[in-house]
Amino acid sequence: MDPLKQKFFEKSQLLRTEIKSLLKEHGDKVVGEVTLRQVFGGMRGVKSMIWETSELDAVEGIRFRGYSIPELREALPKKGGEPLPEGLFWLMLVGEIPDEEQIKWLSDQWTSRINVPEHTFKAIDALPEGTHPMTQFSVAVTSMQTTSQFAHRYSEGLSKTEYWDPVYEDCLNLIARLPRIAAYIYRKNYHGGMHIQPDFTLDWAGNFAHMLGIPGEDFKSLMRLYMTIHADHEGGNASAHTTHLVGSALSDPYMSFSAALNALAGPLHGLANQEVIKWIFKMTDALGTTQPTHEQIAEYVKSTLAAGQVIPGYGHAVLRRPDPRFTAQKRFAEDYIQDSDIVNTVWKVFDVVPDILKGLGKVKNPWPNVDAHSGAILVHYGLKEYSFYTVLFGVSRALGVMAATCWSRALGFPLERPKSVTMNWVRNFLEENN
Ligand code: CMX
């Protein structure tokens, strides 16, 4: 058994035993109540799932196995000054910071698993011109289901205690292939199908940057940071929760991850990263300048709100402070980028939007989220095709949700099946409880 798999197996068996005895003794303890507002309001704050890989605090932001983003930047092995996503995946899967040798092993593993089935490229090519890159990405991931070791072994008869093993293999294979598929979609759609072969000497994110065809070491560093900070945001967000739900039916990792991509493709979730840049380009076009003033931006924000639209990149269902993932990208831009109109505009938007949103009196979090900053840096490096941005988010998100999927199968989590009620049930409930 490979060293990561062995470690994961040992740790998961210990936790499985702990959960068994914990539930025997404390299974009936009440952890919270559910209000009618939560029933109608998207289940905000309802504790209903175990998600080991990361935890979100409304004020502090995300912690991956206890490490905040600035702490991760210090603790994880780095290349070009930024953390390697290999390190984060290792940390999320087994709860330990890997050493250089372990990172190298995982990088080599992903390189050795990079081959994408030929029919996946054909499936992408079969889609009509103008198909959104997220649709292409989702179709590509679904098409790889034919290679699922879990689906194959399940059909032959697989013991429940062994589910985790082929799921681990599927998750590693899937993660290894994603940069290749995403780069294929990018080069096909925006560079006339001039594809770039992988460079097997590079790390996972560095190779992704290489295959996208964006030159320079700084862009490789950006991809390492980008792939690290977008990876996971505890279990309740739409893409993670979708992975959890679909996986709980024992749909294999390709099926559950493509479902996650379909959730990520919503404008209130991952698609917000394209919407932010689209909105900024629209604003600068309308104003006729790439250097709008604070006053001009404020007027444009108000007109967006007056049209009944949200300001993309601002607000969050859980966070109540500026997102540390926004701050990490701002720090990157301060370190690596001088005098960029688009980056300066994002910073001016940050100066202006929170006060305006606070003034509405209903927005619970007026601060920027992860999507407010990412596009400006990508534009700076020449990746201007914003319809592609959510694909980048998706490649990264696989790290967290696939690590969590390994845990779900190893811990033997059951089919997810919450209770819905009808309006009649609500009316009767209110009559009885008046
Ligand atoms: N601009 C304008 N209005 C906003 C707003 C924003 N950025 N954020 C919240 N509001 C509004 C809501 O639309 C809601 O209005 P109504 O009561 O009229 O329906 C009200 O404020 C209360 O919403 P909330 O409780 O503060 O926020 P939710 O938990 O319901 O929604 C989110 C969270 C992210 C969907 C919302 O803030 C939003 O639409 N933001 C813009 C889209 C975005 O950036 N999404 C990316 C999130 C991060 C990610 O997943 O990638």
Side-chain angles (χ1 to χ4, degrees):
M1 200 183 288
D2 81 46
L4 180 60
K5 196 172 182 180
Q6 181 72 37
K7 234 181 221 301
F8 171 66
F9 175 63
E10 285 161 12
K11 295 203 171 209
S12 60
Q13 292 314 294
L14 284 177
L15 194 60
R16 195 176 173 139
T17 311
E18 184 189 339
I19 291 174
K20 218 173 174 181
S21 68
L22 177 151
L23 285 179
K24 202 166 168 204
E25 204 180 331
H26 303 291
D28 292 327
K29 292 225 162 92
V30 176
V31 292
E33 54 173 18
V34 179
T35 64
L36 265 188
R37 180 164 290 110
Q38 289 169 309
V39 171
F40 281 90
M43 301 186 278
R44 296 288 184 282
V46 179
K47 295 184 188 73
S48 54
M49 196 192 319
I50 294 290
W51 192 265
E52 282 292 275
T53 47
S54 69
E55 191 178 7
L56 185 58
D57 180 82
V59 174
E60 275 201 326
I62 191 68
R63 279 185 181 271
F64 300 88
R65 295 277 185 182
Y67 290 88
S68 68
I69 286 179
E71 287 165 2
L72 266 190
R73 212 173 154 253
E74 288 307 310
L76 285 180
K78 292 189 261 297
K79 195 165 180 188
E82 301 301 332
L84 284 159
E86 283 89 337
L88 179 66
F89 181 75
W90 187 289
L91 174 68
M92 288 191 290
L93 194 68
V94 293
E96 294 171 11
I97 298 277
D99 59 27
E100 298 283 350
E101 203 180 305
Q102 289 166 325
I103 291 270
K104 170 92 179 67
W105 177 85
L106 186 53
S107 241
D108 289 348
Q109 270 296 310
W110 284 344
T111 302
S112 71
R113 294 168 184 254
I114 201 171
N115 272 346
V116 173
E118 206 44 47
H119 70 262
T120 293
F121 296 127
K122 286 188 185 146
I124 297 170
D125 290 343
L127 293 166
E129 208 176 309
T131 302
H132 193 279
M134 280 302 279
T135 312
Q136 300 181 37
F137 199 28
S138 167
V139 165
V141 170
T142 306
S143 80
M144 292 194 294
Q145 194 272 337
T146 53
T147 69
S148 168
Q149 296 191 19
F150 175 79
H152 177 69
R153 284 186 55 192
Y154 190 89
S155 73
E156 292 192 328
L158 183 65
S159 158
K160 283 180 177 182
T161 58
E162 289 179 78
Y163 288 171
W164 69 275
D165 185 322
V167 162
Y168 169 94
E169 296 297 335
D170 280 351
C171 290
L172 257 63
N173 287 338
L174 177 56
I175 292 169
R177 294 168 182 174
L178 289 179
R180 186 114 196 261
I181 295 168
Y184 184 89
I185 292 169
Y186 180 68
R187 301 293 302 179
K188 172 185 157 64
N189 287 277
Y190 309 112
H191 292 274
M194 306 281 283
H195 298 294
I196 299 171
Q197 290 308 305
D199 177 343
F200 296 120
T201 65
L202 287 169
D203 54 288
W204 183 75
N207 200 14
F208 186 22
H210 158 77
M211 288 185 287
L212 287 170
I214 309 288
E217 287 309 304
D218 287 2
F219 188 73
K220 289 192 179 67
S221 295
L222 173 67
M223 280 299 103
R224 289 175 193 122
L225 176 70
Y226 188 111
M227 292 297 134
T228 299
I229 63 176
H230 286 77
D232 208 29
H233 219 221
E234 76 169 33
N237 68 77
S239 51
H241 187 193
T242 304
T243 310
H244 185 79
L245 169 66
V246 177
S248 83
L250 297 186
S251 304
D252 61 65
Y254 296 94
M255 288 297 196
S256 59
F257 185 62
S258 62
L261 289 175
N262 296 340
L264 197 69
L268 296 188
H269 190 20
L271 202 81
N273 63 5
Q274 87 164 38
E275 295 300 296
V276 167
I277 284 300
K278 199 166 148 187
W279 179 81
I280 290 180
F281 282 164
K282 255 184 164 174
M283 172 173 71
T284 50
D285 273 359
L287 297 173
T289 173
T290 55
Q291 299 176 336
T293 63
H294 285 95
E295 293 70 29
Q296 286 175 311
I297 294 172
E299 282 313 307
Y300 196 79
V301 169
K302 285 176 194 159
S303 70
T304 302
L305 292 170
Q309 293 161 25
V310 295
I311 307 301
Y314 282 77
H316 199 272
V318 180
L319 288 171
R320 295 297 175 256
R321 291 278 191 285
D323 190 335
R325 300 172 300 174
F326 173 87
T327 314
Q329 295 177 87
K330 187 164 184 288
R331 191 265 316 149
F332 182 95
E334 285 160 355
D335 288 355
Y336 288 79
I337 299 172
Q338 269 98 45
D339 264 344
S340 150
D341 281 356
I342 187 88
V343 170
N344 289 336
T345 301
V346 161
W347 293 351
K348 283 188 209 162
V349 171
F350 178 39
D351 292 337
V352 162
V353 166
D355 280 342
I356 298 177
L357 290 184
K358 277 182 212 164
L360 296 180
K362 64 174 184 179
V363 181
K364 295 196 192 66
N365 175 38
W367 300 108
N369 58 55
V370 65
D371 300 317
H373 209 310
S374 52
I377 306 182
L378 295 168
V379 169
H380 170 80
Y381 285 112
L383 208 163
K384 299 191 171 96
E385 302 87 355
Y386 53 71
S387 302
F388 182 72
Y389 290 176
T390 313
V391 175
L392 294 173
F393 195 156
V395 174
S396 168
R397 187 45 57 102
L399 298 173
V401 301
M402 290 294 95
T405 297
C406 291
W407 277 98
S408 297
R409 297 293 75 78
L411 297 177
F413 287 157
L415 179 70
E416 190 172 279
R417 189 18 173 125
K419 175 85 187 114
S420 63
V421 292
T422 62
M423 274 306 291
N424 257 347
W425 181 93
V426 172
R427 290 186 197 105
N428 291 339
F429 168 83
L430 288 176
E431 251 174 50
E432 284 162 20
N433 289 277
N434 244 337

